[in-house]
Amino acid sequence: MTKRIFLIFSLFSLAFSVMAKTQWETAIAEYNEYSLPLVNVETNTSLLSKEKYIPGHIVICDHEMRTEGKLFASFDCKIRYRGASSLKYEKKSFAIKLLDSDGEDLDANIFGIRKENDWILDAMAIDRIRMRNRVCFDIWNEISRTPYPTDFDNRNGTLGYFVEVYLNGEYHGLYCMTDKIDRKLLGLKKAKELSDGSPYVRGVLYKGEAWTDATSMRGYDTSESFDEETWNGWELQYPDDYPCFDAWKPLMSLIDFCNTRNAFFKLHYRHHFYYDNLVDYAIFIMAHNIIDNNVKNTHFSCPDINVSETFLITPWDLDCSLGGLYEGSHYEEYTKVSDLTSNYLFYQLYMYNVDNFRGSMKERWQELSSGIMSPNSFNSRLDAYAKR
């Protein structure tokens, strides 16, 4: 009788221990070389918001050991939600900053992408195929490079890998873990603080946040303050510690230039933009039916405005592409020339055919459509991601 009771107790204990395992622990136990990398984020979910970072911890499991050469890489971090309209969905994206034992920024090479402390877990909540942003960025990275040397092989877009995310040990869904478009990636010079405390602005990075006259390069509201991180629908991404007139002035001057008479624009636009970058971006958004990135969801950057005020274009948030709309429905139409020229920068270039801009678009499309952007090449990318 005693043995029977002991056996029943042992079986009950074993069953309870199996039941008590978190989904993360179960996934780790079943992990193999065919699995996607696993990421467990630990934090107080009741405190999560977009506005404020809160303490957390992140563990990355990758059989290829691409993160700091480890199968399991563990980091303290701080975490918040990221996004705008996507915040209404239960599955939210996260912004993560890695920290050392003293709570200071910690750079780590995650998945071999680059050594960085600032990372994104992209929820892809509205994207039914869960790969639009990644596929489009992969193509952009191949067709557009920075026209000046950087520490990251002239890369002009994000890199990322699909991962299975667990939140406090419970499965939270398929995500894409990526780096960010930032000062280091684009090789922008750091701002300096002068003896009087004022900033000496060098590299600048702006991101279009909303559809406004300013992001359409048509004008701006002169009453908006320069002492904020946002101005006329743009966000100051760098130097974000120094929102001031000197930080915003290069963008203001660029918008002013785009509104000059065409003869003047034609003579001087190459002092403000890289011609090949403009051609590539126009082809990119039209070929992939990208409807929310002209110039909203687009970065403008300059390595050092004291040396040259020539700006590079880099896309951002490419979910509204390949027929996808911002709420996840299908977009039946194709991107038209009128969509491109709704932005005054491209209006000047295309409608007045500056330096044979239309001819350059045609020639570049003929090149890309037989290679990187060919149907076979594009379908192969989708198939490769779908099979992972």
Side-chain angles (χ1 to χ4, degrees):
M1 184 71 176
T2 305
K3 288 183 178 179
R4 187 179 176 189
I5 293 172
F6 179 78
L7 179 61
I8 292 172
F9 178 78
S10 297
L11 290 173
F12 178 81
S13 298
L14 179 62
F16 181 80
S17 66
V18 171
M19 289 174 59
K21 271 189 176 180
T22 65
Q23 292 176 336
W24 165 255
E25 290 168 329
T26 301
I28 290 299
E30 298 173 352
Y31 189 72
N32 59 54
E33 67 269 25
Y34 303 108
S35 305
L36 287 173
L38 307 179
V39 175
N40 187 40
V41 176
E42 297 173 351
T43 193
N44 186 341
T45 55
S46 67
L47 299 178
L48 273 171
S49 69
K50 179 183 177 179
E51 290 72 28
K52 184 179 178 181
Y53 280 98
I54 62 171
H57 191 81
I58 184 171
V59 179
I60 299 169
C61 176
D62 175 27
H63 72 89
E64 295 185 41
M65 297 191 291
R66 292 167 294 183
T67 301
E68 303 292 292
K70 299 176 181 178
L71 175 62
F72 289 93
S74 180
F75 305 97
D76 288 330
C77 66
K78 54 184 180 181
I79 182 171
R80 65 172 178 83
Y81 290 137
R82 67 172 302 276
S85 59
S86 61
L87 288 174
K88 67 184 179 183
Y89 298 102
E90 183 177 352
K91 184 187 177 191
K92 296 176 176 60
S93 296
F94 301 104
I96 292 175
K97 289 182 181 288
L98 306 182
L99 303 174
D100 63 18
S101 57
D102 296 321
E104 301 296 324
D105 288 348
L106 172 70
D107 288 341
N109 193 338
I110 293 181
F111 298 129
I113 292 174
R114 63 176 166 124
K115 214 166 178 62
E116 176 58 55
N117 78 296
D118 216 346
W119 297 89
I120 291 170
L121 282 170
D122 181 12
M124 307 172 290
I126 66 164
D127 182 6
R128 296 182 183 183
I129 65 172
R130 301 292 188 265
M131 65 176 83
R132 282 183 169 88
N133 193 62
R134 188 68 264 140
V135 166
C136 288
F137 257 121
D138 289 350
I139 294 171
W140 174 252
N141 285 337
E142 288 193 40
I143 68 173
S144 178
R145 315 297 286 179
T146 65
Y148 52 84
T150 70
D151 293 336
F152 303 101
D153 192 32
N154 298 85
R155 178 154 59 90
N156 189 25
T158 69
L159 283 181
Y161 290 93
F162 291 104
V163 298
E164 302 276 7
V165 168
Y166 294 76
L167 186 58
N168 294 327
E170 301 305 307
Y171 187 67
H172 205 60
L174 178 68
Y175 278 69
C176 190
M177 191 162 192
T178 76
D179 64 346
K180 294 180 66 175
I181 306 297
D182 60 13
R183 182 194 67 79
K184 287 185 279 188
L185 177 66
L186 297 177
L188 312 182
K189 299 294 185 182
K190 281 186 176 181
K192 294 182 178 180
E193 192 167 296
L194 301 177
S195 57
D196 63 358
S198 63
Y200 176 64
V201 177
R202 299 196 294 172
V204 291
L205 177 63
Y206 311 104
K207 183 178 76 174
E209 286 279 278
W211 293 109
T212 65
D213 282 346
T215 56
S216 296
M217 309 304 284
R218 293 180 177 275
Y220 44 81
D221 181 355
T222 57
S223 67
E224 285 214 18
S225 171
F226 294 109
D227 298 325
E228 305 290 339
E229 288 183 30
T230 57
W231 175 82
N232 277 276
W234 287 90
E235 179 185 341
L236 181 64
Q237 299 235 299
Y238 191 79
D240 49 320
D241 289 340
Y242 300 105
C244 60
F245 177 76
D246 285 346
W248 285 111
K249 182 182 177 182
L251 178 61
M252 194 168 94
S253 299
L254 194 67
I255 297 169
D256 287 339
F257 170 74
C258 287
N259 286 273
T260 56
R261 294 176 65 88
N262 186 255
F264 186 83
F265 179 93
K266 187 182 294 186
L267 280 174
H268 300 285
Y269 80 98
R270 287 181 186 256
H271 295 298
H272 299 276
F273 297 98
Y274 297 100
Y275 184 80
D276 289 345
N277 178 239
L278 293 170
V279 172
D280 285 341
Y281 197 71
I283 289 289
F284 177 68
I285 63 175
M286 293 194 70
H288 296 92
N289 203 13
I290 299 171
I291 60 174
D292 201 27
N293 298 74
N294 184 27
V295 163
K296 178 180 175 282
N297 285 327
T298 303
H299 294 88
F300 279 9
S301 64
C302 176
D304 189 343
I305 58 172
N306 304 288
V307 175
S308 166
E309 291 197 19
T310 310
F311 280 80
L312 181 73
I313 293 179
T314 309
W316 184 249
D317 191 5
L318 298 167
D319 283 338
C320 291
S321 60
L322 310 177
L325 275 175
Y326 66 93
E327 86 291 36
S329 65
H330 182 65
Y331 180 65
E332 297 291 345
E333 299 180 33
Y334 294 100
T335 304
K336 302 178 287 293
V337 168
S338 59
D339 297 319
L340 176 70
T341 57
S342 64
N343 188 283
Y344 204 61
L345 166 60
F346 288 109
Y347 180 88
Q348 290 260 39
L349 291 164
Y350 190 92
M351 298 306 291
Y352 295 105
N353 200 25
V354 175
D355 283 353
N356 193 29
F357 189 75
R358 289 182 230 165
S360 296
M361 284 183 63
K362 179 180 178 180
E363 185 178 323
R364 183 64 165 148
W365 170 243
Q366 288 173 337
E367 174 192 352
L368 294 173
S369 61
S370 62
I372 296 170
M373 290 188 186
S374 69
N376 285 341
S377 176
F378 182 79
N379 290 337
S380 294
R381 291 178 192 273
L382 296 184
D383 290 342
Y385 276 130
K387 290 174 182 175
R388 292 184 183 181

